Structure formats: C-alpha cells, structure tokens
Amino acid sequence: MRTDWPDSNEAAISLTFDVDCESGWLGEDAAYVNRLSTLSEARFGATRGVPRILEILERHEIQGTFYIPGDTAERHAETCRTIVAAGHDVGHHGYLHLRSDGATQAQQREEIERGLEALSALGVTPRGYRSPSWELTPETFALLQEHDFAWDSSLMGDDRPYLHEGMLELPVHWSLDDWPHLHWKPGRGDAFTAPEDFLNTWLAEFESARADHRHVTYTMHPEVIGRGYRAQLLDRLIAEIRQRGNVWFATHGDVARWVMS
Ligand SMILES: [Zn+2]
C-alpha cells in the first residue's frame, strides 16, 4: 500500500460526516418515537446542519465523505440529494443505525441490504461502509465482502490505512469524533468539551499526522458540528490546516483509490 500523497503533500485529511439524524435514536430504542425533543435535536442535522456543512465545504472547495443511514436517505431525501448533487462521496451507514453487536444475523443482513436500496434511490452505489456506533461484527464484515465494498471505516487498529482480512480499513478514533466531545444526553452527567479545546485536539492530531506524513479521518455529525458556533470550528480547522501545511483534503474514495493504486 503506498504511503506517499499526490503532489508531495505532507498529509491527507478526510472530513467525514455521519448523517445519523433520527435513525441514531430510533435504532437504539423504539420508545424514542415519542421523544419529540430528542428527535428534533437529531432532525436539526438535516434541516440546518447539512446545509451549513455544505456551504463551508463549497467555500473551501473540499469534497467530504458522508456516511448516510438508509432511514436518513428516505426520511430526508431532499437534503441527501443536495449532498449527492454537490459531488461529495456517500458511504453506507446501516439502515436504522442498528449496532451490529446487538443485532441478529438476519437484522445485520437487513441493515446492509435495506441501506443499499435506500442509497440506490438517491442514485448512489456506495463503495465504503462505516458501522453504526463503530461496532462491527464478523457477520457484518462478511456481508461487506459479499457485497463487494472497497473499504470500511469503523476500526481503530492503526492510525493510517491498513488491511483487515484483505479489505482496506480507513481507521477512526473516538477522540477525533465530535460526538463524545460535543454531544450531551440529558441525565448522563458528563459535560461538553470547550469548543476551543476540541479544535486544539483536532489540530494536535493534524500536526502529528503531518510529522508522520499520514492520513487523518475526522468524524462529525451534522446535528453536532452543525450548530452555529461549532460550524465555525470546522471552518477554522480547515483554514488553519491550509495555512500550516501542504495537505491533500480528500474523500475516503479518493484515499482508497490512491493507497491501493
Ligand atoms: Zn452514526
């Protein structure tokens, strides 16, 4: 697998967005269907979060990677069509965002196949997959191979692209995900990370990646990063990275094609 980057760039950066919206809650517990506040917070990702993200990416001329659950693709089809129309990469993120470790084999198959059908209705045949809540079982992994996916982005076994049982893995990490830092659940008792501290975490990872000449995946959720002052963090992250170094902002599809070429 090649470890250099096009045009002698010092590092490769992928901005990835998991468009969970309501599916994240409905897949966790059907009782959420009656929890209007929670669902509305999730829906904000489609109504306001995605448009803000698309505006930022367009202004910086960057293509992002959007992992979209089938439920979101159906429930928010118009929003998802704007993602596709802007030329961004779209990956598979389950159907109802069921954690595969808590799903039966039949449910795991349904998650993959209904998810593919829902994305197909948007005109998308995804090449990449990200498991809901980053729980990936051998059964779901076998389904990815059966359906000929080109890469997965759910595992954490290295901090650069690697092969897992023959499939390309574009690894992630919880500490680079906006959800643990910036999402808060009533009654859970934890606190938000200060926005400046989170930006500094992202930038520290960028500096370490630049020193190693490696690839970094940042993970975000439109309902989390799409709030006004947080969208500004994303804007500043991009501007700061561009100012500090020569970096290839690339989709997961671009990185997958490059490292395997
Ligand atoms: Zn998700």
Side-chain angles (χ1 to χ4, degrees), residues 157-171:
D158 202 343
D159 58 9
R160 58 210 76 200
Y162 67 99
L163 294 177
H164 177 79
E165 296 185 9
M167 185 179 290
L168 177 63
E169 177 62 36
L170 300 176

Side-chain angles (χ1 to χ4, degrees), residues 59-229:
R59 188 155 35 77
H60 290 282
E61 299 182 338
I62 290 172
Q63 298 299 107
T65 305
F66 291 76
Y67 289 97
I68 304 180
D71 181 78
T72 298
E74 293 173 353
R75 195 183 295 269
H76 301 292
E78 283 315 303
T79 299
C80 292
R81 285 185 207 287
T82 64
I83 295 170
V84 175
H88 299 290
D89 204 0
V90 171
H92 192 299
H93 194 43
Y95 180 76
L96 199 58
H97 205 272
L98 289 189
R99 284 174 53 153
S100 45
D101 63 318
T104 65
Q105 289 223 21
Q107 285 174 318
Q108 292 182 56
R109 178 170 289 281
E110 189 181 0
E111 279 286 295
I112 295 298
E113 295 182 352
R114 282 187 78 185
L116 283 169
E117 284 168 24
L119 293 180
S120 174
L122 296 175
V124 170
T125 303
R127 304 288 293 130
Y129 174 79
R130 172 171 284 166
S131 58
S133 304
W134 288 338
E135 286 290 351
L136 182 60
T137 60
E139 292 82 10
T140 289
F141 189 77
L143 287 165
L144 302 184
Q145 292 173 313
E146 177 186 324
H147 288 280
D148 206 26
F149 279 86
W151 75 88
D152 171 68
S153 181
S154 315
L155 303 179
M156 310 185 194
D158 202 343
D159 58 9
R160 58 210 76 200
Y162 67 99
L163 294 177
H164 177 79
E165 296 185 9
M167 185 179 290
L168 177 63
E169 177 62 36
L170 300 176
V172 292
H173 195 255
W174 293 112
S175 68
L176 303 175
D177 180 338
D178 63 359
W179 191 276
H181 292 273
L182 301 176
H183 189 268
W184 177 84
K185 192 175 177 182
R188 201 170 55 194
D190 50 4
F192 297 110
T193 301
E196 293 296 319
D197 290 349
F198 187 46
L199 178 61
N200 286 333
T201 297
W202 270 345
L203 288 171
E205 175 66 357
F206 162 66
E207 287 298 350
S208 75
R210 184 156 69 135
D212 289 343
H213 290 265
R214 64 181 156 81
H215 174 231
V216 174
T217 291
Y218 294 111
T219 301
M220 292 160 270
H221 300 75
E223 61 267 53
V224 176
I225 203 70
R227 311 291 317 185
Y229 67 97

Side-chain angles (χ1 to χ4, degrees), residues 32-55:
Y32 273 109
V33 76
N34 290 318
R35 295 182 63 173
L36 301 186
S37 281
T38 298
L39 291 182
S40 71
E41 189 202 16
R43 191 174 65 242
F44 176 93
T47 55
R48 188 64 66 186
V50 167
R52 276 201 175 118
I53 290 163
L54 293 182
E55 185 277 322

